Amino acid sequence: AAGVIQSPRHLIKEKRETATLKCYPIPRHDTVYWYQQGPGQDPQFLISFYEKMQSDKGSIPDRFSAQQFSDYHSELNMSSLELGDSALYFCASSQRIATNEKLFFGSGTQLSVL
Amino acid sequence: AQTVTQSQPEMSVQEAETVTLSCTYDTSESNYYLFWYKQPPSRQMILVIRQEAYKQQNATENRFSVNFQKAAKSFSLKISDSQLGDTAMYFCAFMKHLNSGGGADGLTFGKGTHLIIQP
């Protein structure tokens, strides 16, 4: 079965650079969530999209932005990177009605800011 | 806002034993979902089991079962016949039902319990 695809798997950036993380949800899933998990931490909700519209925002810094495109894939754009942005970034997808609120996670993008 | 508390940072048991991981939560919502996710060293987030708050029957998935006490806001995970592959971080998580209003804010996680299965 198809899963949530995230790219890249690993990303190394310098301070003040920009980064773009991509997420391809499971086919026919209409909702995408982004989470940030720091070392030894629990995942923190950043932002979600439903049917290509922003649905809710969590603890997402103003330096970050995200969108969901017509093909339902989503991108998380991160600018002016800081050392503290080093984390594992998860994307998850769901189909609101059919999967009854089961979130399926991608393998994550490990971002290291040097 | 919802909070999820896991009071056991780490647990260790012998292979084949039964282990119970604790989770409590706080919410003013009446309709919601509760989950247990497993995160092995690969850091993949894997759904273990899911419970709908309006269902009184406890969810089970093979060796995994929950004890859901809605009035006490408790949601513990029992792993029977534990295996070496069960070694992982286990997160308890809460999600309010979309019919409760608001956006799709996804899951609120606890801090996790690191479970170690000893051979």
Side-chain angles (χ1 to χ4, degrees), chain B residues 36-87:
Chain B
W36 279 97
Y37 277 88
K38 167 185 177 181
Q39 189 175 41
S42 67
R43 301 196 74 186
Q44 174 75 47
M45 195 68 76
I46 301 165
L47 177 63
V48 174
I49 200 164
R50 169 181 167 275
Q51 175 80 41
E52 296 160 25
Y54 66 88
K55 288 188 175 179
Q56 292 186 341
Q57 186 174 8
N58 289 323
T60 61
E61 288 285 345
N62 301 313
R63 299 184 294 108
F64 300 88
S65 62
V66 298
N67 183 4
F68 174 46
Q69 301 290 328
K70 190 172 184 179
K73 294 181 181 173
S74 170
F75 183 62
S76 61
L77 174 70
K78 185 172 83 171
I79 305 174
S80 304
D81 185 26
S82 58
Q83 301 174 0
L84 296 179
D86 295 333
T87 293

Side-chain angles (χ1 to χ4, degrees), chain B:
Chain B
Q2 291 69 231
T3 59
V4 178
T5 302
Q6 294 179 248
S7 59
Q8 305 150 312
E10 185 169 291
M11 296 185 70
S12 180
V13 299
Q14 296 294 123
E15 194 176 6
E17 289 184 345
T18 294
V19 59
T20 298
L21 308 183
S22 302
C23 173
T24 58
Y25 60 95
D26 190 24
T27 184
S28 57
E29 303 287 341
S30 59
N31 201 3
Y32 50 87
Y33 303 92
L34 295 163
F35 304 82
W36 279 97
Y37 277 88
K38 167 185 177 181
Q39 189 175 41
S42 67
R43 301 196 74 186
Q44 174 75 47
M45 195 68 76
I46 301 165
L47 177 63
V48 174
I49 200 164
R50 169 181 167 275
Q51 175 80 41
E52 296 160 25
Y54 66 88
K55 288 188 175 179
Q56 292 186 341
Q57 186 174 8
N58 289 323
T60 61
E61 288 285 345
N62 301 313
R63 299 184 294 108
F64 300 88
S65 62
V66 298
N67 183 4
F68 174 46
Q69 301 290 328
K70 190 172 184 179
K73 294 181 181 173
S74 170
F75 183 62
S76 61
L77 174 70
K78 185 172 83 171
I79 305 174
S80 304
D81 185 26
S82 58
Q83 301 174 0
L84 296 179
D86 295 333
T87 293
M89 184 69 79
Y90 286 80
F91 290 99
C92 179
F94 172 102
M95 172 185 273
K96 67 180 181 182
H97 196 286
L98 286 172
N99 291 342
S100 299
D105 54 354
L107 298 159
T108 299
F109 288 89
K111 295 298 182 185
T113 295
H114 185 207
L115 176 64
I116 300 168
I117 308 299
Q118 304 277 8

Side-chain angles (χ1 to χ4, degrees), chain A:
Chain A
V4 178
I5 305 297
Q6 289 188 248
S7 68
R9 290 294 304 273
H10 302 274
L11 190 59
I12 299 174
K13 291 287 185 178
E14 300 277 338
K15 279 172 53 179
R16 292 180 288 278
E17 287 191 324
T18 62
T20 297
L21 279 54
K22 297 185 178 182
C23 170
Y24 297 85
I26 292 172
R28 292 181 295 282
H29 279 197
D30 50 29
T31 305
V32 167
Y33 306 82
W34 285 97
Y35 289 86
Q36 177 191 58
Q37 186 178 26
Q41 302 294 314
D42 55 299
Q44 296 293 316
F45 169 69
L46 293 178
I47 195 167
S48 63
F49 293 88
Y50 171 61
E51 284 292 345
K52 294 159 281 186
M53 299 286 288
Q54 181 181 306
S55 184
D56 212 343
K57 287 180 75 170
S59 51
I60 185 169
D62 291 340
R63 300 177 289 108
F64 294 7
S65 64
Q67 58 182 322
Q68 188 178 29
F69 294 86
S70 58
D71 64 350
Y72 290 92
H73 94 272
S74 178
E75 294 183 4
L76 178 65
N77 299 293
M78 311 160 71
S79 63
S80 302
L81 287 168
E82 302 173 356
L83 297 178
D85 296 329
S86 294
L88 183 63
Y89 289 83
F90 282 111
C91 170
S93 75
S94 71
Q95 189 177 34
R96 283 197 176 183
I97 303 301
T99 59
N100 288 322
E101 306 314 317
K102 280 185 186 178
L103 270 67
F104 296 87
F105 283 80
S107 298
T109 293
Q110 180 64 55
L111 172 67
S112 299
V113 181
L114 306 179

